[in-house]
Amino acid sequence: MQESAIRVAAPSVCLSFTSIVIRLGSDPRAGLPDLAAPLNKDKGVDVLVVLGFTMILTFMVLIMTRRLTPMVALILVPTIFGLFAGAGLGLGDMIIESIGDLAPTAALLMFAIMFFGIMIDVGLFDPLIRSITRFLGNDPAKVVLGTAILAGAVSLDGDGSTTFIITTSAMLPIYLRLGMSPVVLTCVAGLMNGTLNIVPWGGPTVRAASALGVSPTDIFVPMLPSLATGLIIALAFAWFLGLAERKRIGSLEYSPAALADATPTASPGFWRGLFGGNRVVRGTDVRPGAAATLSTTGIVTVRPGQRLPAGPIALAEQKLLEVDDHDTMMADTMLSADRPTLRPKLIWVNFGLTVAVMVLLVLDVMPLAYIFMVGTGVALMVNFPKLRSQADEIVAHAPSIVGVVSMVLAAGVLVGVLNGTGMVTAMADWVVNVVPASMGEYLAVITGVLSIPMTFFMSNDAFYFGILPVLAESAATYGIDPVEMARASIIGQPVHLQSPLVPAILLLVSLAGVNLGDHHKKVLWRACVVSLVMLLVGVLVGAVPFG
């Protein structure tokens, strides 16, 4: 009996499954509502909320524990949770649509990396590096503080990608040559850029103003005390990170005589003259694959599991080991004094080209990706007129480009699943409904607190155009003005800029050769502190009402 029942049931099950597949195959979206119908009920919304937050948490845990690379996690984790959410074969359309929206950003980052990489190769930033180094010396604490100041100054243009490209181009070679951790660079740069992301011409403030119909200036000006305090806190964090690096590294000088004994063919070179002697310059955080190195210019790295002792080091005790110049994304642009790509006679031409590109970026007269495309083409033609040289230069920057563009496109999977399955909408509705009516008079402060995690989990568009108007409408019944809600809503930007949904931060960690999880470990709690202090100051000065 059981066997006959199975024989009868099996064909019917197969036919049912086949009909579903055929229906989904002919129109993937046509089958999606039937599969996702249970999730549209009241209890289903709770399921989407749980799935949304669990997906983000799973992603964070996997990258912070180094179980998966960020790109792999961005692809696989949302795919699995999208299937749990009932997306079915419609998942592909959601993701392709999201990737299409991110394609201009990927093109922008690709050609921006190439353009600034060419400018580094031809020597445009060498005078800047020399000036910074002469001013900061070889003190890690001053270098980190200088990184924060430079990132803050460049962040005033409101564009994170430009800030990170310039800051990394200028400071990463110094970090590597002093043996400092690139994670400190990404932490400081991300923290400063996130704090300054509330400027009135930046995206978040404009979005908040547009969503609530208020002036960006009315949002920003009362927040100046909060911004000033946030910058002070960020600079303080930078200084203490620098002190920790100084303590970890110690004084890594050793005598030129010892160097001469160990490497008789060593020449003075650019960096030896710049730093006033040879230094141990690598061996920051012992990443897998980093080989110990002692080159003819005094550059030293460390084997996995090995650390250099602090204090004076006798160079004669160091071993000559195999060189590995590819342990960071920008290893191809380490500013060697005798690199063949230098074009000193064209420095003013390249400077003028760079200024023209930056001016066009600020004026926003054409798409940013196209501006960098044209700039890259002109830079290659001017500096490398031969076809083979152009091809070599393009290939030289391939590791940087592939690393960041792949992560941006992979982020499209996460964004597509969040939006396509309705997780973002469910999470937004849950956030609005979870606030009890008795807390209505504190909605401005609640909005400020909520902006910290919510802008990390979702895009600025989703938060400012989806959640903020609903919160502002509720707050109006308690006498809270929309402009006050807008001010509170931009509090979370120091944390938002660290989100894997922000292409600029993917660019930063890729250029610096830093794991996104390592960056998050160091920066997230500091960014939360900056945001909460900015909120507290906003309440104290009356920019954000409290009761």
Side-chain angles (χ1 to χ4, degrees):
M1 291 293 293
Q2 290 179 351
E3 290 182 1
S4 60
I6 292 173
R7 291 195 189 102
V8 172
S12 62
V13 171
C14 292
L15 287 173
S16 300
F17 177 77
T18 304
S19 64
I20 293 174
V21 172
I22 292 174
R23 193 173 65 216
L24 289 175
S26 60
D27 184 1
R29 291 186 180 276
L32 182 57
D34 293 335
L35 293 174
L39 299 179
N40 293 329
K41 299 178 180 179
D42 292 338
K43 292 184 179 180
V45 172
D46 295 337
V47 173
L48 284 178
V49 171
V50 172
L51 285 175
F53 284 114
T54 305
M55 179 175 68
I56 298 294
L57 179 61
T58 302
F59 168 78
M60 294 297 299
V61 170
L62 287 174
I63 65 170
M64 293 183 73
T65 58
R66 290 178 171 267
R67 302 293 182 184
L68 293 176
T69 64
M71 187 195 75
V72 174
L74 284 168
I75 295 172
L76 296 184
V77 173
T79 298
I80 294 171
F81 278 88
L83 294 174
F84 278 124
L89 297 182
L91 188 64
D93 284 347
M94 299 175 190
I95 292 169
I96 292 301
E97 182 180 352
S98 177
I99 291 176
D101 294 337
L102 287 173
T105 301
L108 166 64
L109 298 181
M110 172 179 174
F111 286 97
I113 292 170
M114 193 177 299
F115 177 81
F116 283 104
I118 293 170
M119 291 300 107
I120 295 169
D121 286 348
V122 299
L124 178 63
F125 294 103
D126 284 17
L128 174 63
I129 302 299
R130 284 194 294 268
S131 300
I132 293 174
T133 308
R134 288 193 185 103
F135 178 75
L136 298 177
N138 63 342
D139 184 353
K142 293 180 181 178
V143 170
V144 176
L145 188 61
T147 302
I149 295 172
L150 176 62
V154 184
S155 294
L156 292 174
D157 72 348
D159 181 61
S161 299
T162 304
T163 298
F164 295 146
I165 289 172
I166 293 177
T167 302
T168 308
S169 301
M171 302 306 298
L172 181 60
I174 298 176
Y175 275 71
L176 295 179
R177 283 170 171 77
L178 290 178
M180 299 171 60
S181 173
V183 183
V184 175
L185 186 155
T186 63
C187 174
V188 170
L191 200 57
M192 291 297 293
N193 185 255
T195 305
L196 282 161
N197 203 40
I198 69 170
V199 292
W201 52 87
T205 302
V206 171
R207 285 180 174 88
S210 301
L212 301 183
V214 297
S215 169
T217 305
D218 292 339
I219 298 174
F220 176 71
V221 173
M223 292 295 291
L224 282 173
S226 293
L227 176 60
T229 306
L231 289 174
I232 292 173
I233 299 297
L235 289 171
F237 277 136
W239 178 249
F240 285 113
L241 283 169
L243 291 179
E245 284 294 281
R246 178 199 287 172
K247 181 179 180 181
R248 182 181 67 83
I249 296 172
S251 176
L252 298 181
E253 296 189 52
Y254 34 77
S255 68
L259 178 64
D261 293 338
T263 55
T265 59
S267 58
F270 172 80
W271 286 101
R272 288 181 61 189
L274 194 58
F275 287 103
N278 292 283
R279 305 287 191 274
V280 173
V281 300
R282 298 198 183 198
T284 54
D285 51 358
V286 193
R287 289 168 294 162
T293 303
L294 177 58
S295 74
T296 56
T297 56
I299 298 178
V300 180
T301 58
V302 189
R303 291 184 184 277
Q306 174 188 0
R307 287 190 179 276
L308 292 172
I313 300 176
L315 187 61
E317 295 177 0
Q318 299 295 326
K319 297 181 180 180
L320 295 177
L321 299 164
E322 182 182 357
V323 177
D324 181 4
D325 286 331
H326 299 283
D327 54 354
T328 72
M329 280 296 196
M330 294 189 67
D332 54 311
T333 54
M334 287 297 101
L335 300 186
S336 171
D338 56 352
R339 61 190 187 275
T341 57
L342 283 176
R343 299 291 186 270
K345 295 181 180 180
L346 296 174
I347 187 169
W348 291 111
V349 175
N350 290 314
F351 178 76
L353 176 60
T354 304
V355 170
V357 169
M358 299 304 294
V359 169
L360 289 174
L361 290 176
V362 174
L363 295 178
D364 198 19
V365 294
M366 288 184 292
L368 304 186
Y370 179 63
I371 293 173
F372 274 115
M373 284 180 178
V374 175
T376 301
V378 174
L380 284 171
M381 183 181 64
V382 170
N383 294 283
F384 305 95
K386 294 182 179 181
L387 182 63
R388 179 60 183 271
S389 299
Q390 292 179 10
D392 290 342
E393 186 67 12
I394 293 171
V395 171
H397 297 285
S400 302
I401 294 170
V402 171
V404 66
V405 171
S406 63
M407 276 203 291
V408 170
L409 296 179
V413 181
L414 179 59
V415 175
V417 170
L418 282 171
N419 294 332
T421 60
M423 287 183 188
V424 165
T425 303
M427 293 161 70
D429 293 340
W430 178 82
V431 168
V432 173
N433 295 330
V434 79
V435 179
S438 59
M439 301 291 290
E441 58 183 331
Y442 305 107
L443 265 176
V445 174
I446 292 173
T447 299
V449 175
L450 287 176
S451 71
I452 297 174
M454 294 308 294
T455 57
F456 183 85
F457 293 150
M458 61 182 64
S459 67
N460 274 339
D461 288 335
F463 179 77
Y464 288 108
F465 295 116
I467 295 180
L468 181 59
V470 179
L471 291 173
E473 184 177 353
S474 301
T477 62
Y478 297 94
I480 302 175
D481 293 334
V483 70
E484 294 172 328
M485 292 293 289
R487 292 172 196 152
S489 70
I490 61 176
I491 290 295
Q493 286 308 300
V495 176
H496 166 75
L497 252 294
Q498 321 308 322
S499 170
L501 301 180
V502 178
I505 204 66
L506 301 180
L507 172 67
L508 174 63
V509 297
S510 294
L511 291 179
V514 170
N515 181 275
L516 184 61
D518 293 339
H519 171 75
H520 281 158
K521 288 178 186 177
K522 193 171 286 289
V523 76
L524 278 181
W525 73 267
R526 292 179 170 89
C528 288
V529 170
V530 172
S531 292
L532 292 174
V533 170
M534 291 175 65
L535 179 60
L536 177 60
V537 173
V539 170
L540 293 177
V541 301
V544 179
F546 181 74

